Amino acid sequence: MASGDDTVEHTLYIGREVTLYTIPPRPGAGGHKSGDWKTADKIFAGRLRCVATGENCEVRVEDPNTGELYVTTPVPLGQRSVAVEPVSDSSRYFVLRVVDPTSNRHVFLGLGFTERGDAFDFNVALSDHEKQVHRAREAQEAAASGKAGQPVTSLAAGDVASLYKKQDLSLKEGETIKIAMKKPANSSGFLSSLPASGGTGLSLPPPPGGGSSFGLAPPPASTSSQGGYGGNSNTTSSPVQLTAPAQPLQSPTQSFGAGDARSSICK
């Protein structure tokens, strides 16, 4: 990074409520345990600030009212687990390697967060700072290894342009395209199943029966002896003959002569 950026401080994280403890010596390979810390071992309660100056990072515990610095823990790049060591039995507690800036002597103090989420954000802030520094170094190394006077981004853009340059694939005047198609020896498609035709088109087989495909069967012969709407006009039939009855029809009412009428009236 530039030297001008080394004087600018960036606050990475602020913890409103933290507590510092005096802790016993390291018990062994298992690491520190917050369960071994007692309530009487509390020495300070205040505010925590994680500050980055260039590639350097510091964890500062301050007085919440006055802002006065109480202790400082430098976090060298690549040594975060040494400067801020997690305990083995909780995610809310850490062990800080506090350094005296005057004598350069160090002491280990316990650090506790009230909320588990605050402890998680603190750890993530330290991790993100390390990643950002590594990315900045890689970018500087890539720029130094590139061509003189040409940034890495322009080189990458030039490579992409050469790979995906526009090509004119249209036919020029006088150019033709020839396509060679090979007919298979034994074709079993739909056209091969049709009968051969002498003409240029396709011929279909005649309908069954040999007759016209649009002919209709003749109507059945008429069996009625009387004419009418249902009769066949092309069929010749004998005229209908009516025969007189053998006996004359009589009215159900008896008829009387004139004399009989008169006699009946006189009676």
Side-chain angles (χ1 to χ4, degrees):
M1 295 184 179
S3 58
D5 296 338
D6 296 340
T7 59
V8 179
E9 291 186 352
H10 301 278
T11 301
L12 305 177
Y13 172 77
I14 296 178
R16 303 297 180 183
E17 297 181 5
V18 297
T19 305
L20 294 179
Y21 300 84
T22 57
I23 59 177
R26 189 183 185 91
H32 293 277
K33 294 182 179 180
S34 61
D36 298 335
W37 307 345
K38 300 178 181 179
T39 306
D41 296 334
K42 293 181 179 181
I43 58 175
F44 186 79
R47 178 183 62 192
L48 180 143
R49 284 200 310 136
C50 185
V51 180
T53 306
E55 293 184 353
N56 301 321
C57 180
E58 286 184 353
V59 177
R60 302 174 182 176
V61 180
E62 306 169 341
D63 188 292
N65 298 322
T66 62
E68 182 181 359
L69 180 63
Y70 186 74
V71 293
T72 302
T73 299
V75 185
L77 187 65
Q79 300 182 10
R80 179 166 59 94
S81 59
V82 177
V84 183
E85 180 184 358
V87 299
S88 59
D89 60 344
S90 177
S91 61
R92 294 190 299 112
Y93 295 89
F94 301 86
V95 176
L96 297 181
R97 187 178 184 270
V98 178
V99 178
D100 185 2
T102 304
S103 61
N104 204 23
R105 299 175 61 183
H106 68 273
V107 64
F108 292 97
L109 297 178
L111 171 68
F113 288 86
T114 304
E115 299 294 336
R116 195 176 307 276
D118 295 339
F120 176 80
D121 294 340
F122 167 69
N123 197 26
V124 169
L126 296 176
S127 177
D128 289 346
H129 172 71
E130 285 189 348
K131 294 179 181 178
Q132 183 178 0
V133 172
H134 285 302
R135 287 195 296 266
R137 287 186 175 183
E138 292 175 357
Q140 290 179 355
E141 293 175 359
S145 62
K147 294 183 179 181
Q150 186 174 8
V152 179
T153 54
S154 61
L155 289 175
D159 295 339
V160 173
S162 62
L163 292 175
Y164 297 96
K165 61 182 179 180
K166 185 177 180 180
Q167 299 180 2
D168 186 9
L169 301 179
S170 60
L171 293 176
K172 304 300 185 295
E173 184 177 359
E175 293 183 349
T176 58
I177 297 178
K178 295 182 180 180
I179 302 176
M181 300 181 63
K182 183 178 179 181
K183 182 178 181 181
N186 297 324
S187 60
S188 58
F190 169 73
L191 296 179
S192 61
S193 62
L194 296 178
S197 175
T200 58
L202 297 177
S203 62
L204 298 178
S212 174
S213 59
F214 297 99
L216 299 178
S222 175
T223 57
S224 175
S225 60
Q226 296 181 0
Y229 294 101
N232 189 357
S233 60
N234 298 327
T235 304
T236 305
S237 58
S238 58
V240 180
Q241 297 180 359
L242 300 179
T243 305
Q247 298 293 334
L249 298 177
Q250 296 181 359
S251 173
T253 305
Q254 185 177 2
S255 60
F256 299 95
D260 296 336
R262 289 193 299 270
S263 61
S264 60
I265 294 173
C266 293
K267 289 180 180 182

